[in-house]
């Protein structure tokens, strides 16, 4: 899975704000899964979020983040809400 490309857009930006590949990560995916699974039971469908490539910036309530994996043709959308409003 190190050859996939992940991207992130905010509010429908034409170009991704962030773009990266697991091949650029400090720790390998198996190392991360091993470390997390020693302190937390992982279930099918769980996501492990580890950090961010360059391009990080603020988001605010009302913004919408869309992220995905190019080669798998998948994406997800997450609305940003005010803290405590859920």
């Amino acid at each position: 899975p190190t050859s996939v490309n992940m991207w992130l857009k905010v509010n429908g930006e034409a170009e991704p704000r962030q773009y990266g590949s697991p091949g650029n990560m400090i720790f390998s995916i198996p190392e991360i899964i091993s470390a997390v699974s020693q302190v937390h039971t992982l279930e099918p469908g769980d996501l492990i979020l580890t950090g961010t490539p360059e391009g990080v910036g603020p988001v605010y309530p009302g913004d919408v983040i869309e992220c995905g994996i190019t080669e798998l043709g998948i994406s997800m959308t997450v609305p940003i809400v005010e803290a405590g409003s859920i």
Side-chain angles (χ1 to χ4, degrees):
T2 59
S3 62
V4 298
N5 294 288
M6 300 174 287
W7 53 268
L8 180 140
K9 297 178 180 183
V10 178
N11 298 328
E13 295 167 323
E15 295 295 319
R17 183 176 291 192
Q18 294 184 296
Y19 193 82
S21 171
N24 298 330
M25 293 168 48
I26 295 170
F27 298 103
S28 70
I29 292 174
E31 289 173 313
I32 293 168
I33 292 171
S34 175
V36 170
S37 66
Q38 290 182 36
V39 296
H40 182 78
T41 301
L42 294 172
E43 302 289 341
D46 282 352
L47 296 175
I48 301 173
L49 305 176
T50 61
T52 185
E54 65 180 286
V56 68
V59 291
Y60 303 99
D63 286 347
V64 177
I65 294 175
E66 181 184 11
C67 56
I69 301 173
T70 304
E71 291 77 9
L72 299 180
I74 61 172
S75 66
M76 64 186 287
T77 302
V78 179
I80 304 302
V81 298
E82 191 73 43
S85 66
I86 295 180

